[in-house]
Amino acid sequence: MVDDQAPATSFSNRDFRNVMGCFATGVTVVTTCGAAGELVGMTANSFSAVSLQPPLVLFCIDRGANCFAVFEAADSFAVNILTAEQTNISAIFSSNDDDRFAKVGSHIGRTGAPILEQALATIECTVHARYDGGDHEIVLGHVRQMHMRQDQQPLLYYAGSYSTLAAT
Ligand SMILES: Cc1cc2nc3c(=O)[nH]c(=O)nc-3n(C[C@H](O)[C@H](O)[C@H](O)COP(=O)(O)O)c2cc1C
């Protein structure tokens, strides 16, 4: 480990969340399809672009998530960037709902992962690498296909709440 000699942390999980909440993000639903054909998806704001050549993106998944095992075994995933109108979809995909895909329109994309209808953008990936991220796993994806809409605004997440861009 590179930080073996670092001093012990002096802040609580709440402090950490509060400070990280200062970083405004978009909101995505990351999806995949399991070996038995089951569709899984999870709201995630840990999404980030990583590399242009090759085109790489990442998201981080909690090792304790119910859907972790399916994502761990999958060789592809899709990132669906939500619009300002899709707060309900973010709520569905971060809830205890077992039947998430029954409540949203979707179709299977080129890599086999479900694509949510009406998303602001979708990014279809094959898994490029996985890294240890403490209680999360960092999943790096090689982008294979993308789609975007230009007639909608993004959903934002800031300080633990949903937000939207201010009208200009
Ligand atoms: C705005 C928002 C962003 C989230 N981002 C992440 C994330 O990046 N990684 C993660 O593992 N969970 C994240 N979560 C929590 C998961 O969406 C939630 O725990 C989900 O229910 C996990 O899937 P499961 O039901 O299969 O356990 C986020 C939740 C919200 C509301």
Side-chain angles (χ1 to χ4, degrees):
M1 296 284 287
V2 289
D3 60 357
D4 270 354
Q5 305 305 316
T9 51
S10 59
F11 48 83
S12 67
N13 288 352
R14 185 69 263 162
D15 295 335
F16 185 67
R17 283 174 180 268
N18 287 345
V19 173
M20 294 306 123
C22 295
F23 188 59
T25 68
V27 181
T28 76
V29 172
V30 184
T31 61
T32 194
C33 182
E38 71 274 35
L39 305 183
V40 300
M42 176 192 82
T43 301
N45 68 342
S46 55
F47 169 72
S48 180
V50 176
S51 161
L52 201 53
Q53 281 304 331
L56 301 176
V57 298
L58 69 75
F59 73 100
C60 304
I61 180 168
D62 188 338
R63 296 180 190 278
N66 294 320
C67 57
F68 178 75
V70 178
F71 275 106
E72 177 76 349
D75 56 15
S76 66
F77 65 88
V79 179
N80 299 268
I81 299 175
L82 300 186
T83 72
E85 313 294 323
Q86 293 180 312
T87 312
N88 60 327
I89 293 180
S90 176
I92 290 168
F93 282 89
S94 57
S95 70
N96 294 326
D97 196 331
D98 287 335
D99 204 10
R100 298 172 181 181
F101 285 89
K103 299 186 174 64
V104 300
S106 67
H107 65 272
I108 299 300
R110 183 171 147 194
T111 67
I115 304 299
L116 302 190
E117 311 289 353
Q118 313 301 326
L120 183 62
T122 58
I123 301 155
E124 298 181 62
C125 302
T126 52
V127 173
H128 183 75
R130 300 172 193 277
Y131 299 103
D132 177 35
D135 57 14
H136 282 55
E137 179 175 81
I138 303 162
V139 184
L140 204 57
H142 189 150
V143 179
R144 303 298 180 176
Q145 180 107 347
M146 305 181 299
H147 314 268
M148 68 183 273
R149 302 173 61 186
Q150 285 170 323
D151 57 342
Q152 294 287 321
Q153 297 281 299
L155 180 61
L156 305 183
Y157 197 68
Y158 171 67
S161 298
Y162 296 109
S163 189
T164 55
L165 293 174
T168 51

